[in-house]
């Protein structure tokens, strides 16, 4: 009994425990069910809110699209209305133009009738037909032109007789200008070659004492750079540069380079250059056939042997000017001695213009005055450039012309490319400045300007006047060597089409 009672008690205990577990499980399931129901309700609310937002967005976009479509429709309607108005205006204008054309045709017919009536009346009054009147008018014009041409020919012949002597002298001068010359363009040597690059160190010397002594003795700067086997001499005075070149050449050949030796060699080189200068001056005076010049004056003239102008040796240029001036003076009956002496000394101021301030023409005149030269010679020297003084005598004008001839002849001077291009541009600019010119070309190194004119604006007679006007303007505006040919080309083309 006790065992059965215990067993019964155990079963009741297990049952109670099981019921408690079931109750706890039920409560847990109910809580989970409530949570799931709450989540479903929340998801449902969110879905409804999202649907409402999407619906509002779609409605707003549809409203905007409807508004844009309405605006586009209004714009299209306005464009259609504007096009209709323009079409109406064009139709009205076309109707007006048609009416005007009819009126113009009618007016032209009336004008033609009036012309025919006027021509008939003129023929009746003049008792001449149109062809007869034209022939009569042409005959009278032809007679008048022939009379004027004959009168012009007589005037030209009279002027030719009066100017025959002057023209002959101009021909002689032109022949002298075109004479051949042995003069060539020279360049001052400013580079001294070295046997090797080790010689550069010997020229510089310890702490630069040799190069300083050489520069102090000659007054010329020595440039020793990376140039292989060469030393560059830099100086404005060509005589000093020649002394430095000669001295440095001797030092390199001798090999003994120190300050004392440098002073000794420079002194000897200066004596040699002085001898060369004196001989050059005497030789120039002999070639120019100028006598009675003082030795110091010849020495100044000889310094021009080392001076160049635009690549032209100034001493050779002076001799050439003296010969030309003497020849021209002989032909024109001027004082030959004054012309050839002033011409030989006209650029003498360039020999010392590095030492004395002022234009070389004024400097040369002062030197000639100190050596007692005549006022005629001094004036011809000073006036050889019109910028300093205008020629007041025939001799001064001859010296000025001879100087221009020597400097302007082909090959006398080297012209820089910039000046050459500027002169060509100036020639074309002057030609293009005239009315009726279509195109212009400066050819043959500026010796000729070829001009293409518009045939509808320039006739044959105007073309001759245009060439003359352009030539005069070039003479007034530009400085140029020799002469420039002006060639005006007028071309007429008649074009038609066969259809």
């Amino acid at each position: 009994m006790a065992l059965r009672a215990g067993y019964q008690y155990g079963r009741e205990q297990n049952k109670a425990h099981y019921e408690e577990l079931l109750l706890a499980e039920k409560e847990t399931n109910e809580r989970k069910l409530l949570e799931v129901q709450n989540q479903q309700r929340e998801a449902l609310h969110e879905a409804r809110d999202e649907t409402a937002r999407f619906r509002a967005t779609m409605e707003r976009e549809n409203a905007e699209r409807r508004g844009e479509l309405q605006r586009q429709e209004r714009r299209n309607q306005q464009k259609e209305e504007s096009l209709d108005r323009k079409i109406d205006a064009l139709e009205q204008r076309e109707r007006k133009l048609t009416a005007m054309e009819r009126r113009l045709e009618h007016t032209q017919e009336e004008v033609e009738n009036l012309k025919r009536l006027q021509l008939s009346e003129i023929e009746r009054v003049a008792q001449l037909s149109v062809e007869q009147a034209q022939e009569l008018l042409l005959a009278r014009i032809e007679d008048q032109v022939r009379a004027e041409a004959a009168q012009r020919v007589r005037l030209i012949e009279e002027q030719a007789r009066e100017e025959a002597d002057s023209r002959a002298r101009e021909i002689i001068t032109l022949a002298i200008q075109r004479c051949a010359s042995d003069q060539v363009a020279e360049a001052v040597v400013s580079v001294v070659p070295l046997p090797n690059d080790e010689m550069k160190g010997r020229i510089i010397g310890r702490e630069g004492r040799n190069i300083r002594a050489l520069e102090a003795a000659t007054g010329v700067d020595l440039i020793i750079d990376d140039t292989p086997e060469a030393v560059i001499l830099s100086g404005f005075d060509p005589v000093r540069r020649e002394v430095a070149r000669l001295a440095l050449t001797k030092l390199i050949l001798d090999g003994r380079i120190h300050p004392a030796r440098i002073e000794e060699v420079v002194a000897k080189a200066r004596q040699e250059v002085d001898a060369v200068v004196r001989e050059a001056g005497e030789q120039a005076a002999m070639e120019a056939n100028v006598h009675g010049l003082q030795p110091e004056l010849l020495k100044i003239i000889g310094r021009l042997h080392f001076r160049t102008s635009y690549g032209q040796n100034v001493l050779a240029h002076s001799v050439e000017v003296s010969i030309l001036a003497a020849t021209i003076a002989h032909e024109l009956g001027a004082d030959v001695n004054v012309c050839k002496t002033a011409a030989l000394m006209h650029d003498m101021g360039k020999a010392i213009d590095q030492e004395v301030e002022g234009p070389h023409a004024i400097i040369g005149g002062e030197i000639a005055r100190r050596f007692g030269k005549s006022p005629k010679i001094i004036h011809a020297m000073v006036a050889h450039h019109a910028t300093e003084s205008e020629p007041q005598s025939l001799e001064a004008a001859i010296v000025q012309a001879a100087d221009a001839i020597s400097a302007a002849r082909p090959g006398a001077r080297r012209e820089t490319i910039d000046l050459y291009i500027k002169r060509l541009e100036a020639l074309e600019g002057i030609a293009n400045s005239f009315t009726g010119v279509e195109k212009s070309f400066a050819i043959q190194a500026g010796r000729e300007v070829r001009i293409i004119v518009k045939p509808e604006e320039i006739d044959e007679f105007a073309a001759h006047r245009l060439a003359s006007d352009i030539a005069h303007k070039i003479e007034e505006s530009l400085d140029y060597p020799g002469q420039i040919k002006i060639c005006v080309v007028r071309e007429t083309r008649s074009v038609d089409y066969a259809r």
Side-chain angles (χ1 to χ4, degrees), residues 300-301 304 307 314 345-356 358-367 381 384:
I300 295 175
I301 295 173
L304 298 176
R307 179 68 186 266
V314 178
M345 299 191 303
H346 77 285
D347 276 343
M348 187 170 54
K350 291 183 178 181
I352 59 173
D353 60 354
Q354 302 295 338
E355 305 169 3
V356 181
H360 71 275
I362 301 297
I363 297 173
E366 292 296 329
I367 296 173
M381 292 174 59
H384 80 275

PDB file of all heavy atoms in Angstrom, residues 300-301 304 307 314 345-356 358-367 381 384:
ATOM      1  N   ILE A 300      95.840 109.676 -88.945  1.00  0.00           N
ATOM      2  CA  ILE A 300      94.423 109.570 -88.562  1.00  0.00           C
ATOM      3  C   ILE A 300      93.631 108.890 -89.661  1.00  0.00           C
ATOM      4  O   ILE A 300      92.769 108.028 -89.402  1.00  0.00           O
ATOM      5  CB  ILE A 300      93.862 110.969 -88.245  1.00  0.00           C
ATOM      6  CG1 ILE A 300      94.565 111.547 -87.016  1.00  0.00           C
ATOM      7  CG2 ILE A 300      92.357 110.887 -87.999  1.00  0.00           C
ATOM      8  CD1 ILE A 300      94.170 112.974 -86.709  1.00  0.00           C
ATOM      9  N   ILE A 301      93.924 109.266 -90.926  1.00  0.00           N
ATOM     10  CA  ILE A 301      93.224 108.627 -92.040  1.00  0.00           C
ATOM     11  C   ILE A 301      93.558 107.138 -92.106  1.00  0.00           C
ATOM     12  O   ILE A 301      92.693 106.292 -92.371  1.00  0.00           O
ATOM     13  CB  ILE A 301      93.596 109.332 -93.364  1.00  0.00           C
ATOM     14  CG1 ILE A 301      93.085 110.777 -93.351  1.00  0.00           C
ATOM     15  CG2 ILE A 301      93.018 108.584 -94.557  1.00  0.00           C
ATOM     16  CD1 ILE A 301      93.545 111.588 -94.545  1.00  0.00           C
ATOM     17  N   LEU A 304      91.520 104.408 -90.307  1.00  0.00           N
ATOM     18  CA  LEU A 304      90.288 103.911 -90.910  1.00  0.00           C
ATOM     19  C   LEU A 304      90.485 102.553 -91.564  1.00  0.00           C
ATOM     20  O   LEU A 304      89.500 101.891 -91.933  1.00  0.00           O
ATOM     21  CB  LEU A 304      89.773 104.910 -91.955  1.00  0.00           C
ATOM     22  CG  LEU A 304      89.388 106.305 -91.421  1.00  0.00           C
ATOM     23  CD1 LEU A 304      89.000 107.212 -92.585  1.00  0.00           C
ATOM     24  CD2 LEU A 304      88.240 106.202 -90.429  1.00  0.00           C
ATOM     25  N   ARG A 307      88.675 100.101 -89.553  1.00  0.00           N
ATOM     26  CA  ARG A 307      87.282 100.447 -89.256  1.00  0.00           C
ATOM     27  C   ARG A 307      86.392 100.001 -90.413  1.00  0.00           C
ATOM     28  O   ARG A 307      86.744 100.166 -91.577  1.00  0.00           O
ATOM     29  CB  ARG A 307      87.154 101.963 -89.058  1.00  0.00           C
ATOM     30  CG  ARG A 307      85.730 102.452 -88.767  1.00  0.00           C
ATOM     31  CD  ARG A 307      85.267 101.972 -87.396  1.00  0.00           C
ATOM     32  NE  ARG A 307      83.870 102.332 -87.201  1.00  0.00           N
ATOM     33  CZ  ARG A 307      83.468 103.445 -86.588  1.00  0.00           C
ATOM     34  NH1 ARG A 307      84.378 104.298 -86.112  1.00  0.00           N
ATOM     35  NH2 ARG A 307      82.202 103.699 -86.415  1.00  0.00           N
ATOM     36  N   VAL A 314      86.164 101.314 -94.276  1.00  0.00           N
ATOM     37  CA  VAL A 314      85.969 102.761 -94.363  1.00  0.00           C
ATOM     38  C   VAL A 314      87.092 103.430 -95.145  1.00  0.00           C
ATOM     39  O   VAL A 314      86.859 104.386 -95.895  1.00  0.00           O
ATOM     40  CB  VAL A 314      85.844 103.358 -92.945  1.00  0.00           C
ATOM     41  CG1 VAL A 314      85.699 104.879 -93.010  1.00  0.00           C
ATOM     42  CG2 VAL A 314      84.657 102.754 -92.209  1.00  0.00           C
ATOM     43  N   MET A 345      88.829 112.717 -96.789  1.00  0.00           N
ATOM     44  CA  MET A 345      88.801 112.947 -95.343  1.00  0.00           C
ATOM     45  C   MET A 345      87.378 112.997 -94.777  1.00  0.00           C
ATOM     46  O   MET A 345      87.209 113.286 -93.592  1.00  0.00           O
ATOM     47  CB  MET A 345      89.507 114.268 -95.018  1.00  0.00           C
ATOM     48  CG  MET A 345      90.971 114.319 -95.412  1.00  0.00           C
ATOM     49  SD  MET A 345      91.836 115.755 -94.720  1.00  0.00           S
ATOM     50  CE  MET A 345      90.854 117.102 -95.367  1.00  0.00           C
ATOM     51  N   HIS A 346      86.354 112.713 -95.601  1.00  0.00           N
ATOM     52  CA  HIS A 346      84.982 112.959 -95.134  1.00  0.00           C
ATOM     53  C   HIS A 346      84.594 112.063 -93.958  1.00  0.00           C
ATOM     54  O   HIS A 346      83.803 112.460 -93.106  1.00  0.00           O
ATOM     55  CB  HIS A 346      83.994 112.781 -96.302  1.00  0.00           C
ATOM     56  CG  HIS A 346      83.697 111.353 -96.648  1.00  0.00           C
ATOM     57  ND1 HIS A 346      84.576 110.538 -97.322  1.00  0.00           N
ATOM     58  CD2 HIS A 346      82.604 110.576 -96.409  1.00  0.00           C
ATOM     59  CE1 HIS A 346      84.049 109.354 -97.495  1.00  0.00           C
ATOM     60  NE2 HIS A 346      82.849 109.334 -96.944  1.00  0.00           N
ATOM     61  N   ASP A 347      85.122 110.834 -93.880  1.00  0.00           N
ATOM     62  CA  ASP A 347      84.815 109.922 -92.768  1.00  0.00           C
ATOM     63  C   ASP A 347      85.955 109.865 -91.757  1.00  0.00           C
ATOM     64  O   ASP A 347      86.029 108.904 -90.965  1.00  0.00           O
ATOM     65  CB  ASP A 347      84.526 108.521 -93.302  1.00  0.00           C
ATOM     66  CG  ASP A 347      83.094 108.355 -93.760  1.00  0.00           C
ATOM     67  OD1 ASP A 347      82.244 109.193 -93.379  1.00  0.00           O
ATOM     68  OD2 ASP A 347      82.815 107.384 -94.489  1.00  0.00           O
ATOM     69  N   MET A 348      86.845 110.865 -91.755  1.00  0.00           N
ATOM     70  CA  MET A 348      88.002 110.842 -90.858  1.00  0.00           C
ATOM     71  C   MET A 348      87.586 110.839 -89.387  1.00  0.00           C
ATOM     72  O   MET A 348      88.287 110.297 -88.525  1.00  0.00           O
ATOM     73  CB  MET A 348      88.891 112.056 -91.159  1.00  0.00           C
ATOM     74  CG  MET A 348      90.216 112.084 -90.432  1.00  0.00           C
ATOM     75  SD  MET A 348      91.285 113.393 -91.089  1.00  0.00           S
ATOM     76  CE  MET A 348      90.219 114.814 -90.945  1.00  0.00           C
ATOM     77  N   GLY A 349      86.429 111.426 -89.083  1.00  0.00           N
ATOM     78  CA  GLY A 349      85.972 111.448 -87.698  1.00  0.00           C
ATOM     79  C   GLY A 349      85.691 110.079 -87.133  1.00  0.00           C
ATOM     80  O   GLY A 349      85.711 109.892 -85.899  1.00  0.00           O
ATOM     81  N   LYS A 350      85.433 109.074 -87.997  1.00  0.00           N
ATOM     82  CA  LYS A 350      85.173 107.721 -87.501  1.00  0.00           C
ATOM     83  C   LYS A 350      86.422 107.089 -86.886  1.00  0.00           C
ATOM     84  O   LYS A 350      86.309 106.106 -86.147  1.00  0.00           O
ATOM     85  CB  LYS A 350      84.668 106.837 -88.642  1.00  0.00           C
ATOM     86  CG  LYS A 350      83.279 107.193 -89.128  1.00  0.00           C
ATOM     87  CD  LYS A 350      82.803 106.234 -90.202  1.00  0.00           C
ATOM     88  CE  LYS A 350      81.385 106.576 -90.655  1.00  0.00           C
ATOM     89  NZ  LYS A 350      80.893 105.645 -91.686  1.00  0.00           N
ATOM     90  N   ALA A 351      87.610 107.663 -87.177  1.00  0.00           N
ATOM     91  CA  ALA A 351      88.844 107.095 -86.630  1.00  0.00           C
ATOM     92  C   ALA A 351      88.951 107.337 -85.134  1.00  0.00           C
ATOM     93  O   ALA A 351      89.610 106.572 -84.420  1.00  0.00           O
ATOM     94  CB  ALA A 351      90.058 107.684 -87.349  1.00  0.00           C
ATOM     95  N   ILE A 352      88.323 108.413 -84.639  1.00  0.00           N
ATOM     96  CA  ILE A 352      88.447 108.751 -83.213  1.00  0.00           C
ATOM     97  C   ILE A 352      87.085 108.976 -82.571  1.00  0.00           C
ATOM     98  O   ILE A 352      87.001 109.601 -81.502  1.00  0.00           O
ATOM     99  CB  ILE A 352      89.331 110.005 -83.018  1.00  0.00           C
ATOM    100  CG1 ILE A 352      88.735 111.200 -83.765  1.00  0.00           C
ATOM    101  CG2 ILE A 352      90.754 109.744 -83.487  1.00  0.00           C
ATOM    102  CD1 ILE A 352      89.464 112.501 -83.466  1.00  0.00           C
ATOM    103  N   ASP A 353      85.992 108.530 -83.214  1.00  0.00           N
ATOM    104  CA  ASP A 353      84.676 108.778 -82.627  1.00  0.00           C
ATOM    105  C   ASP A 353      84.440 107.968 -81.360  1.00  0.00           C
ATOM    106  O   ASP A 353      83.471 108.227 -80.633  1.00  0.00           O
ATOM    107  CB  ASP A 353      83.576 108.491 -83.651  1.00  0.00           C
ATOM    108  CG  ASP A 353      83.594 107.049 -84.139  1.00  0.00           C
ATOM    109  OD1 ASP A 353      84.519 106.310 -83.762  1.00  0.00           O
ATOM    110  OD2 ASP A 353      82.693 106.680 -84.912  1.00  0.00           O
ATOM    111  N   GLN A 354      85.324 106.976 -81.068  1.00  0.00           N
ATOM    112  CA  GLN A 354      85.234 106.270 -79.800  1.00  0.00           C
ATOM    113  C   GLN A 354      85.849 107.080 -78.661  1.00  0.00           C
ATOM    114  O   GLN A 354      85.580 106.814 -77.484  1.00  0.00           O
ATOM    115  CB  GLN A 354      85.948 104.910 -79.906  1.00  0.00           C
ATOM    116  CG  GLN A 354      85.419 104.005 -81.000  1.00  0.00           C
ATOM    117  CD  GLN A 354      83.992 103.558 -80.754  1.00  0.00           C
ATOM    118  OE1 GLN A 354      83.544 103.573 -79.610  1.00  0.00           O
ATOM    119  NE2 GLN A 354      83.283 103.200 -81.810  1.00  0.00           N
ATOM    120  N   GLU A 355      86.649 108.048 -78.998  1.00  0.00           N
ATOM    121  CA  GLU A 355      87.335 108.866 -77.994  1.00  0.00           C
ATOM    122  C   GLU A 355      86.714 110.255 -77.841  1.00  0.00           C
ATOM    123  O   GLU A 355      86.861 110.882 -76.794  1.00  0.00           O
ATOM    124  CB  GLU A 355      88.819 109.018 -78.374  1.00  0.00           C
ATOM    125  CG  GLU A 355      89.528 107.688 -78.571  1.00  0.00           C
ATOM    126  CD  GLU A 355      90.904 107.859 -79.190  1.00  0.00           C
ATOM    127  OE1 GLU A 355      91.326 109.017 -79.415  1.00  0.00           O
ATOM    128  OE2 GLU A 355      91.553 106.835 -79.455  1.00  0.00           O
ATOM    129  N   VAL A 356      86.034 110.754 -78.885  1.00  0.00           N
ATOM    130  CA  VAL A 356      85.453 112.093 -78.877  1.00  0.00           C
ATOM    131  C   VAL A 356      83.955 111.967 -79.141  1.00  0.00           C
ATOM    132  O   VAL A 356      83.536 111.219 -80.021  1.00  0.00           O
ATOM    133  CB  VAL A 356      86.105 112.984 -79.954  1.00  0.00           C
ATOM    134  CG1 VAL A 356      85.505 114.389 -79.917  1.00  0.00           C
ATOM    135  CG2 VAL A 356      87.610 113.041 -79.760  1.00  0.00           C
ATOM    136  N   GLY A 358      80.204 113.123 -80.384  1.00  0.00           N
ATOM    137  CA  GLY A 358      79.655 113.901 -81.467  1.00  0.00           C
ATOM    138  C   GLY A 358      79.600 113.124 -82.756  1.00  0.00           C
ATOM    139  O   GLY A 358      80.218 112.062 -82.903  1.00  0.00           O
ATOM    140  N   PRO A 359      78.859 113.640 -83.769  1.00  0.00           N
ATOM    141  CA  PRO A 359      78.793 112.987 -85.084  1.00  0.00           C
ATOM    142  C   PRO A 359      80.156 112.987 -85.762  1.00  0.00           C
ATOM    143  O   PRO A 359      80.937 113.930 -85.606  1.00  0.00           O
ATOM    144  CB  PRO A 359      77.777 113.841 -85.857  1.00  0.00           C
ATOM    145  CG  PRO A 359      77.035 114.613 -84.820  1.00  0.00           C
ATOM    146  CD  PRO A 359      77.981 114.824 -83.692  1.00  0.00           C
ATOM    147  N   HIS A 360      80.433 111.923 -86.533  1.00  0.00           N
ATOM    148  CA  HIS A 360      81.760 111.804 -87.140  1.00  0.00           C
ATOM    149  C   HIS A 360      82.022 112.911 -88.157  1.00  0.00           C
ATOM    150  O   HIS A 360      83.183 113.298 -88.369  1.00  0.00           O
ATOM    151  CB  HIS A 360      81.916 110.421 -87.789  1.00  0.00           C
ATOM    152  CG  HIS A 360      81.102 110.243 -89.041  1.00  0.00           C
ATOM    153  ND1 HIS A 360      79.778 109.856 -89.023  1.00  0.00           N
ATOM    154  CD2 HIS A 360      81.424 110.418 -90.349  1.00  0.00           C
ATOM    155  CE1 HIS A 360      79.326 109.777 -90.251  1.00  0.00           C
ATOM    156  NE2 HIS A 360      80.297 110.119 -91.088  1.00  0.00           N
ATOM    157  N   ALA A 361      80.963 113.440 -88.797  1.00  0.00           N
ATOM    158  CA  ALA A 361      81.174 114.522 -89.757  1.00  0.00           C
ATOM    159  C   ALA A 361      81.675 115.791 -89.045  1.00  0.00           C
ATOM    160  O   ALA A 361      82.592 116.474 -89.535  1.00  0.00           O
ATOM    161  CB  ALA A 361      79.873 114.815 -90.511  1.00  0.00           C
ATOM    162  N   ILE A 362      81.090 116.098 -87.891  1.00  0.00           N
ATOM    163  CA  ILE A 362      81.518 117.280 -87.123  1.00  0.00           C
ATOM    164  C   ILE A 362      82.928 117.072 -86.576  1.00  0.00           C
ATOM    165  O   ILE A 362      83.774 117.978 -86.609  1.00  0.00           O
ATOM    166  CB  ILE A 362      80.528 117.549 -85.976  1.00  0.00           C
ATOM    167  CG1 ILE A 362      79.115 117.770 -86.538  1.00  0.00           C
ATOM    168  CG2 ILE A 362      80.974 118.745 -85.169  1.00  0.00           C
ATOM    169  CD1 ILE A 362      78.993 118.969 -87.436  1.00  0.00           C
ATOM    170  N   ILE A 363      83.216 115.853 -86.092  1.00  0.00           N
ATOM    171  CA  ILE A 363      84.555 115.561 -85.558  1.00  0.00           C
ATOM    172  C   ILE A 363      85.599 115.707 -86.664  1.00  0.00           C
ATOM    173  O   ILE A 363      86.671 116.305 -86.474  1.00  0.00           O
ATOM    174  CB  ILE A 363      84.587 114.142 -84.954  1.00  0.00           C
ATOM    175  CG1 ILE A 363      83.633 114.046 -83.766  1.00  0.00           C
ATOM    176  CG2 ILE A 363      85.994 113.772 -84.528  1.00  0.00           C
ATOM    177  CD1 ILE A 363      83.473 112.640 -83.229  1.00  0.00           C
ATOM    178  N   GLY A 364      85.310 115.157 -87.858  1.00  0.00           N
ATOM    179  CA  GLY A 364      86.246 115.281 -88.972  1.00  0.00           C
ATOM    180  C   GLY A 364      86.462 116.728 -89.378  1.00  0.00           C
ATOM    181  O   GLY A 364      87.596 117.134 -89.712  1.00  0.00           O
ATOM    182  N   GLY A 365      85.395 117.542 -89.364  1.00  0.00           N
ATOM    183  CA  GLY A 365      85.555 118.958 -89.684  1.00  0.00           C
ATOM    184  C   GLY A 365      86.444 119.682 -88.698  1.00  0.00           C
ATOM    185  O   GLY A 365      87.275 120.529 -89.086  1.00  0.00           O
ATOM    186  N   GLU A 366      86.335 119.366 -87.406  1.00  0.00           N
ATOM    187  CA  GLU A 366      87.190 119.985 -86.396  1.00  0.00           C
ATOM    188  C   GLU A 366      88.652 119.581 -86.587  1.00  0.00           C
ATOM    189  O   GLU A 366      89.567 120.409 -86.442  1.00  0.00           O
ATOM    190  CB  GLU A 366      86.711 119.588 -84.992  1.00  0.00           C
ATOM    191  CG  GLU A 366      85.361 120.171 -84.598  1.00  0.00           C
ATOM    192  CD  GLU A 366      85.422 121.688 -84.509  1.00  0.00           C
ATOM    193  OE1 GLU A 366      86.497 122.220 -84.161  1.00  0.00           O
ATOM    194  OE2 GLU A 366      84.395 122.335 -84.805  1.00  0.00           O
ATOM    195  N   ILE A 367      88.888 118.320 -86.927  1.00  0.00           N
ATOM    196  CA  ILE A 367      90.270 117.882 -87.175  1.00  0.00           C
ATOM    197  C   ILE A 367      90.852 118.636 -88.373  1.00  0.00           C
ATOM    198  O   ILE A 367      92.001 119.115 -88.334  1.00  0.00           O
ATOM    199  CB  ILE A 367      90.305 116.361 -87.409  1.00  0.00           C
ATOM    200  CG1 ILE A 367      89.870 115.609 -86.146  1.00  0.00           C
ATOM    201  CG2 ILE A 367      91.699 115.913 -87.826  1.00  0.00           C
ATOM    202  CD1 ILE A 367      89.722 114.113 -86.350  1.00  0.00           C
ATOM    203  N   MET A 381      83.213 118.367 -96.054  1.00  0.00           N
ATOM    204  CA  MET A 381      83.291 117.218 -95.151  1.00  0.00           C
ATOM    205  C   MET A 381      82.088 117.168 -94.208  1.00  0.00           C
ATOM    206  O   MET A 381      81.479 116.119 -94.004  1.00  0.00           O
ATOM    207  CB  MET A 381      84.591 117.299 -94.328  1.00  0.00           C
ATOM    208  CG  MET A 381      85.861 117.099 -95.121  1.00  0.00           C
ATOM    209  SD  MET A 381      87.329 117.380 -94.099  1.00  0.00           S
ATOM    210  CE  MET A 381      87.089 116.168 -92.807  1.00  0.00           C
ATOM    211  N   HIS A 384      78.603 116.196 -95.899  1.00  0.00           N
ATOM    212  CA  HIS A 384      78.405 114.976 -96.695  1.00  0.00           C
ATOM    213  C   HIS A 384      77.232 114.165 -96.185  1.00  0.00           C
ATOM    214  O   HIS A 384      76.734 113.272 -96.881  1.00  0.00           O
ATOM    215  CB  HIS A 384      79.685 114.128 -96.721  1.00  0.00           C
ATOM    216  CG  HIS A 384      79.907 113.299 -95.498  1.00  0.00           C
ATOM    217  ND1 HIS A 384      80.516 113.784 -94.367  1.00  0.00           N
ATOM    218  CD2 HIS A 384      79.612 112.005 -95.228  1.00  0.00           C
ATOM    219  CE1 HIS A 384      80.594 112.830 -93.457  1.00  0.00           C
ATOM    220  NE2 HIS A 384      80.049 111.736 -93.953  1.00  0.00           N
TER     221      HIS A 384
END
